[in-house]
């Protein structure tokens, strides 16, 4: 299944709100699990498992730096006016333009169920819409597709990519770009 959108942002590796932050360029296991739970609500009871989405590829045309206004957690007290206020700060975030996400399923029924729905990457406003037709391809053809893919699991090339938001377990994987491992 091929999903496309105008822009997208995937949370960075850290929750730190630095002055400049870039979108993560691959999807972690818990993000794929969240997409699977959105597409197939019967999977809500399966925490820490990805059963229907077999693989994915993700690509985009460019990264655009956009300003975002945020409020820090703390409050300040003005003793003269006896008022509380929150400071404001501006940060730059790198948003991906024209994202394309390919999701691989091992059966036509799952692909057709996914085809009837939209998905979000990590924020509700970053909506990706399905293309009209399911694309049939074998494993080799999928491997040759352009894009970023984090292959899930432990191997000699794996690194820690975060902690699963559904069960708190560490997540590992190795990164492939255009089907070739980066390490």
């Amino acid at each position: 299944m091929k999903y496309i959108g105008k822009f997208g942002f995937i949370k960075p590796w850290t929750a730190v709100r630095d002055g400049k932050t870039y979108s993560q360029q691959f999807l972690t296991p818990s993000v794929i699990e969240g997409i699977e739970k959105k597409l197939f609500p019967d999977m809500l009871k399966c925490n820490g498992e990805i059963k229907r989405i077999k693989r994915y590829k993700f690509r985009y045309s460019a990264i655009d730096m956009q300003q975002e206004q945020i409020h820090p957690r703390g409050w300040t007290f003005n003793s003269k006016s006896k008022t509380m206020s929150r400071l404001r700060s501006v940060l730059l975030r790198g948003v991906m333009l024209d994202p394309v996400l390919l999701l691989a399923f091992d059966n036509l029924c799952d692909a057709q169920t996914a085809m009837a729905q939209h998905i979000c990457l990590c924020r509700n406003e970053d909506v990706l819409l399905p293309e009209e037709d399911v694309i049939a391809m074998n494993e080799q053809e999928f491997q040759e597709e352009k894009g970023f893919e984090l292959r899930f699991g432990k191997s000699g090339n794996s690194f820690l990519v975060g902690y699963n938001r559904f069960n708190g377990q560490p997540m590992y994987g190795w990164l492939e770009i255009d089907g070739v491992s980066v390490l």
Side-chain angles (χ1 to χ4, degrees):
M1 241 350 277
K2 183 178 186 179
Y3 288 88
I4 56 175
K6 286 295 175 193
F7 60 92
F9 185 78
I10 307 169
K11 63 182 177 57
W13 289 14
T14 67
V16 176
R17 303 293 279 186
D18 295 326
K20 186 183 282 190
T21 184
Y22 289 93
S23 182
Q24 188 171 281
Q25 296 174 319
F26 57 85
L27 304 176
T28 63
S30 65
V31 171
I32 292 293
E33 183 179 349
I35 290 171
E36 184 176 86
K37 287 178 185 327
K38 192 271 180 206
L39 294 174
F40 308 100
D42 60 305
M43 298 303 297
L44 286 168
K45 61 184 178 281
C46 302
N47 283 339
E49 298 178 64
I50 302 168
K51 293 185 176 186
R52 295 192 178 171
I53 298 174
K54 300 306 178 189
R55 290 184 60 189
Y56 78 91
K57 293 276 181 138
F58 186 71
R59 63 181 179 258
Y60 56 92
S61 61
I63 290 185
D64 182 52
M65 297 308 289
Q66 299 179 357
Q67 289 187 344
E68 178 179 355
Q69 183 174 306
I70 63 167
H71 293 276
R73 285 178 59 176
W75 290 81
T76 57
F77 178 71
N78 184 327
S79 57
K80 260 187 176 181
S81 65
K82 305 254 191 266
T83 59
M84 301 281 292
S85 64
R86 288 177 71 185
L87 299 174
R88 295 182 183 184
S89 181
V90 173
L91 59 83
L92 292 173
R93 65 181 175 120
V95 175
M96 296 175 290
L97 301 178
D98 303 315
V100 174
L101 175 64
L102 293 173
L103 295 180
F105 301 97
D106 63 1
N107 66 69
L108 183 60
C109 183
D110 285 348
Q112 288 173 331
T113 299
M115 183 176 68
Q117 302 177 62
H118 74 281
I119 59 172
C120 302
L121 293 176
C122 284
R123 297 160 38 115
N124 289 335
E125 68 266 25
D126 296 342
V127 174
L128 299 181
L129 300 174
E131 291 242 312
E132 292 183 24
D133 295 321
V134 173
I135 305 165
M137 62 177 68
N138 62 34
E139 182 80 18
Q140 182 61 35
E141 291 169 326
F142 189 84
Q143 183 70 17
E144 293 170 1
E145 281 288 326
K146 300 280 186 209
F148 293 89
E149 180 180 17
L150 181 73
R151 301 293 299 268
F152 307 147
K154 282 193 174 183
S155 76
N157 292 335
S158 293
F159 55 94
L160 179 68
V161 297
Y163 293 89
N164 190 305
R165 63 184 169 161
F166 295 105
N167 63 16
Q169 296 299 311
M171 300 180 297
Y172 295 91
W174 65 95
L175 189 59
E176 290 182 359
I177 301 173
D178 298 341
V180 178
S181 178
V182 297
L183 297 177

